[in-house]
PDB file of all heavy atoms in Angstrom:
ATOM      1  N   ASP A  27      -2.321  -2.056   0.664  1.00 98.00           N
ATOM      2  CA  ASP A  27      -0.875  -1.862   0.540  1.00 98.00           C
ATOM      3  C   ASP A  27      -0.244  -3.263   0.540  1.00 98.00           C
ATOM      4  O   ASP A  27      -0.891  -4.239   0.938  1.00 98.00           O
ATOM      5  CB  ASP A  27      -0.382  -1.024   1.733  1.00 98.00           C
ATOM      6  CG  ASP A  27       1.128  -1.033   1.839  1.00 98.00           C
ATOM      7  OD1 ASP A  27       1.786  -0.703   0.846  1.00 98.00           O
ATOM      8  OD2 ASP A  27       1.651  -1.395   2.920  1.00 98.00           O
ATOM      9  N   ASP A  29       3.810  -4.284   1.154  1.00 95.00           N
ATOM     10  CA  ASP A  29       4.864  -4.545   2.157  1.00 95.00           C
ATOM     11  C   ASP A  29       4.434  -4.065   3.541  1.00 95.00           C
ATOM     12  O   ASP A  29       4.008  -2.923   3.708  1.00 95.00           O
ATOM     13  CB  ASP A  29       6.160  -3.829   1.755  1.00 95.00           C
ATOM     14  CG  ASP A  29       6.780  -4.438   0.517  1.00 95.00           C
ATOM     15  OD1 ASP A  29       7.433  -5.467   0.634  1.00 95.00           O
ATOM     16  OD2 ASP A  29       6.573  -3.872  -0.572  1.00 95.00           O
ATOM     17  N   ASP A 209       0.075   0.072   6.379  1.00 97.00           N
ATOM     18  CA  ASP A 209       0.854   0.034   7.624  1.00 97.00           C
ATOM     19  C   ASP A 209       1.728   1.261   7.853  1.00 97.00           C
ATOM     20  O   ASP A 209       2.145   1.522   8.977  1.00 97.00           O
ATOM     21  CB  ASP A 209       1.779  -1.193   7.621  1.00 97.00           C
ATOM     22  CG  ASP A 209       2.907  -1.043   6.605  1.00 97.00           C
ATOM     23  OD1 ASP A 209       2.588  -0.878   5.415  1.00 97.00           O
ATOM     24  OD2 ASP A 209       4.077  -1.055   7.012  1.00 97.00           O
ATOM     25  N   ASP A 213       0.806   5.520   3.993  1.00 97.00           N
ATOM     26  CA  ASP A 213      -0.603   5.102   3.932  1.00 97.00           C
ATOM     27  C   ASP A 213      -1.529   6.092   4.633  1.00 97.00           C
ATOM     28  O   ASP A 213      -2.749   6.024   4.457  1.00 97.00           O
ATOM     29  CB  ASP A 213      -0.763   3.702   4.554  1.00 97.00           C
ATOM     30  CG  ASP A 213       0.003   2.654   3.787  1.00 97.00           C
ATOM     31  OD1 ASP A 213      -0.229   2.542   2.564  1.00 97.00           O
ATOM     32  OD2 ASP A 213       0.850   1.974   4.382  1.00 97.00           O
TER      33      ASP A 213
HETATM   34 MG1  LIG B   1       3.621  -0.815   3.550  1.00 74.45          MG
END
Side-chain angles (χ1 to χ4, degrees):
D27 168 54
D29 292 280
D209 70 301
D213 297 305

